[in-house]
Amino acid sequence: MSVVLRMARAGTKKRPVYHIVVADSRFPRDGRFIERLGYFNPLLPKDHKDRLKLDLDKVKAWIAKGAQPSDRIMRFLDAAGIAKRAPRNNPEKAVPRKERKAKAEEAAKAAAAAPKAAAPAAS
């Protein structure tokens, strides 16, 4: 059984509130869970004290038992100083598609021109 720390959505339409739960990874997102560890309210301002409530002692206990936190939960734990999250980097995603395509074409032209430029120099 693979146990994960993840968020389960609650609240009404267009007013989400997320429960931070421990669940079997095979169960549905909003379905059965083992234990509730806290909540996250994304509608509150970032500096509001009730935006995130997390029982850190229970979280540490579950991680010690082998529970795997989701990426969002790992962000919360990194901010709390419990676990270190490896930074992700995808610079290609930030570049608009047309510019990426033009950049790839320029690189292909440069790669094609490089052997031609090297051939006369060798003679």
Side-chain angles (χ1 to χ4, degrees), residues 39-55:
Y39 64 85
F40 172 63
N41 187 349
L43 299 177
L44 293 176
K46 291 189 179 186
D47 58 345
H48 198 278
K49 67 178 180 78
D50 289 335
R51 182 177 166 95
L52 174 68
K53 181 171 183 335
L54 198 56
D55 189 344

Side-chain angles (χ1 to χ4, degrees), residues 113-123:
K116 290 179 184 176
S123 308

